[in-house]
Amino acid sequence: MDTKEKLSSTTIWLHWIVAILMIFMTAAGIYIDNFEAEMLFDIHTSLGVLILVAVIPRVIWRYKHGWPVAVGNYTRVEHIGGKVVHWTLILATLLMPLSGILMAVAGGHGLHIFELELLAETPDPANPDEALALSPALAEVGSAIHGLFGKVLPIAIVLHIVGALKHHLIDKDETLRRMLGLQPR
Ligand code: HEM
Ligand code: HEM
């Protein structure tokens, strides 16, 4: 169980596994959106599907156990700011993979995890080099969500890291140490 003094190892492991993957996926997404990078694109789409293996238990765990109790008495603004950022991050961990999958499947691009094909691409009979969308409207919904959260997520991640560093370096409290599984000082 998560307590004010100590977080459970499940909370800690799920946080760091998903956090590292999310940072990598966000950086990779921004890169492939701006530059031609076929191999990174393949890694982005494959890892983006695989990440659900950690994301789904993480979201269920959070839903069942609620948010960890804050270690200190913070101002109202800090408290609300922290809540908004945590909600944005947890929603994005779920919505980014799902919207990516929706975009790929509804767009007729199929779905794969590296060499493992989960769903084949549907080629356009008129132009076999292009994919034929199964549902252009759903592909558009997926793309809109992916694009929107793709813009909000990097800002939320930066604010989150600045917040964690502020707690550690300025408030000198246990927030970061507790998420690292260290003993209270
Ligand atoms: C944790 C999961 C994921 C994260 C954090 C993520 C993040 C991002 C970000 C930040 C961008 C740049 C968006 C922009 O600035 O407009 C992007 C682009 C993109 N992502 Fe993902 N992504 C994830 C999963 C996926 C999955 C599962 C797929 C497909 C199977 C996918 C396909 C794409 C594509 C095709 C683009 C190119 C731009 C576009 O059409 O929107 N992503 N991703
Ligand atoms: C270097 C990067 C990161 C650091 C230093 C960091 C640090 C922390 C710390 C210290 C907490 C505890 C806050 C508290 O006790 O109220 C926390 C919680 C949280 N972090 Fe991070 N984090 C990082 C990256 C991320 C990323 C990339 C995500 C998601 C995209 C994320 C999502 C969350 C969420 C949702 C919580 C709320 C508690 C929970 O669900 O376990 N973090 N983080």
Side-chain angles (χ1 to χ4, degrees), residues 66-78:
W67 299 103
V69 181
V71 299
N73 294 318
Y74 305 120
T75 63
R76 211 175 133 71
V77 172
E78 260 186 303

Side-chain angles (χ1 to χ4, degrees), residues 2 7 11-12 14-16 18-23 26 58 61-62 66-71 74 85-90 92-93 153 157 160-161 164-165 167 174-180:
D2 295 336
L7 296 177
T11 288
I12 295 173
L14 286 175
H15 173 268
W16 288 112
V18 173
I20 290 164
L21 288 172
M22 285 296 288
I23 291 173
T26 306
R58 167 141 171 65
W61 179 260
R62 237 338 107 247
W67 299 103
V69 181
V71 299
Y74 305 120
V85 171
H86 285 169
W87 270 103
T88 308
L89 292 173
I90 205 100
T93 58
L153 181 59
I157 292 177
H160 182 61
I161 295 176
L165 290 177
H167 283 308
E174 297 294 320
T175 305
L176 180 59
R177 289 175 55 87
R178 186 177 68 162
M179 190 47 102
L180 288 167

Side-chain angles (χ1 to χ4, degrees), residues 22 25-26 29-30 32-33 41 44-45 48-49 51 96-97 100-101 103-104 111 143 146-147 150-151 153:
M22 285 296 288
M25 288 296 295
T26 306
I30 294 170
I32 59 167
D33 201 36
F41 183 80
H44 182 82
T45 52
V49 179
I51 199 176
M96 285 310 273
I101 291 170
M103 191 160 71
L111 205 61
S143 177
H146 213 72
K151 300 282 181 291
L153 181 59

